[in-house]
Amino acid sequence: MATTSNKAGKSAKKAAVPARKASSPKFVYYFGAGKAEGRADDKNLLGGKGANLAEMCRIGLPVPAGFTISTECCVEYFTLGGKYPKSLEAEVKAALLKTEATMGRQFGDPENPLLVSCRSGARKSMPGMMETVLNVGLCSATIPGLIKKTKNARFVYDAYRRLIMMYSDVVMEKAEGIEPAEGKGIRKQLDDMLHQVKVKKGYKSDTDLSEGDLKELAVKFKARVKELLGKEFPDDPMQQLWGGVGAVFKSWNGKRAISYRRIEGIPDEWGTAVNVQAMVFGNMGDSSATGVAFSRNPATGDHHFYGEWLVNAQGEDVVAGIRTPSPLNEATKNEQNKQFVSLEKGMPVVYKELDGYQKKLEKHYKDMQDIEFTIQEGRLWMLQCRVGKRTGVAALNMAMDMLKEKLIDAKTAVMRVAPAQLDELLHPILDPAAEKAGKVIAKGLPAGPGGAVGQIVFTAADAVEWAKTGKKVLLVREETNPEDVEGMRAAKGILTARGGMTSHAALVARGWGKCCIVGCGSLHIDVHAKTMTAGGSIYKEGDTLSLNGSKGHVYEGGLNTVDATENPRFQEYMKLVDKFRTMGVRTNADTPEDARVARAFGAEGIGLFRTEHMFYGKGADEPLAKLRKMILSKSLEERKAALGELFPYVKRDVKATMEAMDGLPVTFRLLDPPLHEFVPQSPDKQAELASELGISVEDIRKRGEALHEMNPMMGHRGVRLGVTYPEVSEMQFRAILEAAAELIKAGKKAIPEIMVPVTCCVKELDDQKKIFDKVSAEVAAAFGKKVPCLYGTMIEIPRASLTADQMAQTAEFFSFGTNDLTQMTFGFSRDDIGGFMGDYIDKKILAADPFQTIDQRGVGEMIKVGIERGRKTRPNLKIGICGEHGGEPESVKFCFKVKMNYVSCSPYRVPIARLGAALAAIAAI
Ligand code: PEP
Ligand code: MG
């Protein structure tokens, strides 16, 4: 054994990772036989897989020995332009020696050869996005020895043909940057050759192939590799090993991995570790098997040991969805797999051992574990454990169950549901009534939750293209393929004919909370013709289907969807969330209906009532006609008369909303948009309005022209309207204060707040405040009591932020309008970013769209300055946000950090904002 490794092994007892000598950085970490140089905390260095293999070794689980080449080595490899650091070779050799000693076999030994796997493992799990090579070390020198040792020539040739398939694909093609046309890759070609043998000989399954078939195939495979890739298949174990390590490193920069990182926000700089581990075989006959399991059901959260296994198979067979796997135990059998033998029945002793390990692991990690295992001739080996991905429903259910079981505390339970998962919980499901009446055309496995309705497409590229044009699509594929990741993302739902619950597509879809059905065996898909047959009918590209991903049912046509909100578990969880939350959450709502929905979601008030919304949509005709009359008035008298007609409508809506909020504060904003938005543009609409108002079309056209602005976003809008037409503000002040006074008089509660939009200097606020004070006094006189009402302002222009000390002299509260503040700080038109934002993100000029998540560096500074200066003048100044960012978790965290009193967002985002606020508070504890 190499001395360096020994030393490292000893020091590992004290520290998580052995100290590094400045001169030669340590890149390789051994694990095996109950000892490991790393541990679970070393994910950044060893990747998730490597760190957990080390941890499993430490806690005494049977893990095949091996070593992890660190992520730092991967970074170094890229820094050196695709070369290994000098010290790596010696370190690998030393670790290999230890592995050999533990396993009692030697790499490349003709008598008793050790085979290894090379697997990727990043800090954060990226299921199926990088490469793996198995059976490394099989060659003409070691094949006979292994046959002698195992007395199983069929198995050895099967392992060899797998090595050729994987290695030629991963190392000789992909890692070399060769990009064959669709369906022309080496893997596909070798697959086709194998398929042809099966067809010719009338075999049903890969396991029917005989020793002779496999031996012959290996020869033919190697010839095809040479022919296609122009190189001999390497026959030297060490050459194979280094090829495998390099290919795994390179797969960090493979297309799929890059796409996945972009979607998941994983930094490019992290790199992957490589785990080189002694092979154990699940394909050594009927006492061997392989499987994937979860300590609880990842789709529903049910507390059942749950998983799939395949007898006489290697792990790739389960995840690639080549064979439909069997259930792990009796309790979790479903419609699709009830006829198969469970591991519990088929291998009861091993099942019991495995069940013990999954319990131990869950207790150790205090979270649901996703486990990979292999049984070699009756002996169980643990190959991987990690925190399992789960749907939003499962995350919620597990968090609440584990809290009850006292496995985790309340704080941890809150943190177990990500804001995006909460969003997923609020997503639609197929309307159960529509499902009852609907026609089920196929059934598969319920791999990803909720309902999805869309037009079917048959390739990932089509899914992306169609989605770009705004179409809702369902991606239909024969089998699950991680290369489809972009198409899966773009699709509303995913449907596959093959694969199990643990196939890559299922894992990925579940992680995203995307509706997904896999293993729908009755589907016949013809990718070339772009058709699928199900339930006796043929469906073409573009036909609409509906999926219930929670049941695994596929329906013909587009079914109605409904929201899945009335879950008592959800209410319970949100109560827990609020225990930790300190910042308020309000909603942006302008109708009593929205107000009610938002209250049901836990809104503590309305942070933005956009007055102008009463002039759009349902029931808007009458008030809009009055507003238009006001806009088209030629004199002050005419305008006042029109405002008088408009008044009752405004008062009615304002009152109904305050009533619905029942004593929670409601922030009304004065009319904000430029008036020309309300004047019809088309000649026939103008003619209609002219006859309605009894004026000429010419008058309307002229007024429209007069109101026309080159840059309306910075034109006559917001407070500027109130400055030029004080009577417009006066009408609104009166409507709000009288509505509140009437409610209070009737014994109800009403807490109005009024804010002035698009302000940039305190004098604007002073100007409007005079009107407000006058109206307030008049209403007080009329009702015998003053209505308490705060007077505040939006802060959405940089100058307002910079002069916040002055603004706060008059404003009693601030509400940051980060939509406009982002627009004006960046100088990006909020309505026109579509033309360039994609390029800004792709070229990494901006990390994210600043209209979605607050740009903390720029707009965030503007907010900080505004808060600091505002509170200098008025220490108790109430401050909130009402731009779209108020419902975006990262932005909510920022709002907490800068000490806002509340965030305000659209009703359906209220729970997400509540969770975001709680998580921020927990992080600050
Ligand atoms: C804002 O600008 O952030 C805001 C809330 O106002 P609006 O979106 O109505 O302009
Ligand atoms: Mg605005």
Side-chain angles (χ1 to χ4, degrees), residues 298-302 390-403 408 413-414 416-418 421-422 424-426 564-577 915:
T300 62
D302 284 353
R390 63 204 71 183
T391 62
V393 183
L396 176 76
N397 288 336
M398 281 181 205
M400 298 314 284
D401 282 346
M402 288 183 187
L403 177 67
I408 56 174
V414 168
R416 282 289 164 82
V417 183
Q421 286 177 314
L422 208 54
E424 180 200 320
L425 271 179
L426 306 173
T565 48
E566 295 300 305
N567 177 351
R569 238 22 200 321
F570 171 72
Q571 305 295 351
E572 222 180 297
Y573 172 77
M574 290 311 297
K575 253 193 212 152
L576 206 61
V577 164
L915 176 55

Side-chain angles (χ1 to χ4, degrees), residues 870-889:
R871 286 203 175 130
K872 212 182 245 171
T873 301
R874 205 185 272 268
N876 293 327
L877 185 69
K878 189 160 61 97
I879 296 175
I881 181 176
C882 61
E884 282 309 294
H885 307 86
E888 191 277 322

Side-chain angles (χ1 to χ4, degrees), residues 608 610 669 717 794 796 817-820 830 882-883:
L608 174 61
R610 288 179 166 102
R669 183 177 71 181
R717 63 174 284 216
M794 299 274 291
E796 50 189 343
T818 43
N819 303 332
D820 276 314
R830 59 194 266 192
C882 61

